[in-house]
Amino acid sequence: SGRDLSVISARTVKPLDIDILKSLNNVNVITLEENSEIGGFGSLVLKFREDAKCKYNTVVMGVKDQFVKHGNIDNQLKNNGLTVEMLISKL
């Protein structure tokens, strides 16, 4: 897509690495997790951003707040929009 991209691996959810989050001003942030969008890592980042008045856009990608049907991992990722294609579409 011709855009610069950095990947930050969050090794822990709590405590958040606030130094990294504070350094992200004026960029787009996408959180990606195989956990619930609501109450997960992305929610913590959104709350931190709001509380700290950081200026970056944030997109949270995770498991939707709905019943998850049984299936293989590839289908689960696709059904929840957690594929490479969906990630690229958010850039």
Side-chain angles (χ1 to χ4, degrees):
S1 70
R3 296 183 183 186
D4 290 334
L5 177 69
S6 297
V7 175
I8 300 169
S9 177
R11 296 179 187 189
T12 63
V13 173
K14 291 182 180 180
L16 286 174
D17 189 334
I18 60 173
D19 292 333
I20 287 179
L21 291 175
K22 283 182 180 178
S23 74
L24 297 176
N25 276 325
N26 300 312
V27 299
N28 294 318
V29 173
I30 300 172
T31 66
L32 177 66
E33 60 185 306
E34 291 179 10
N35 189 22
S36 177
E37 286 182 334
I38 298 173
F41 176 73
S43 292
L44 292 172
V45 170
L46 286 171
K47 179 162 181 8
F48 172 82
R49 183 199 70 187
E50 196 67 27
D51 291 349
K53 297 182 179 20
C54 292
K55 295 181 183 348
Y56 49 81
N57 296 323
T58 307
V59 174
V60 176
M61 295 179 68
V63 176
K64 308 296 180 231
D65 189 29
Q66 61 191 22
F67 179 77
V68 178
K69 296 179 183 176
H70 290 275
N72 65 41
I73 189 69
D74 290 334
N75 286 340
Q76 295 290 351
L77 293 172
K78 184 177 179 181
N79 291 339
N80 283 282
L82 300 176
T83 62
V84 172
E85 295 79 18
M86 287 302 298
L87 176 60
I88 290 170
S89 76
K90 304 290 184 183
L91 299 175

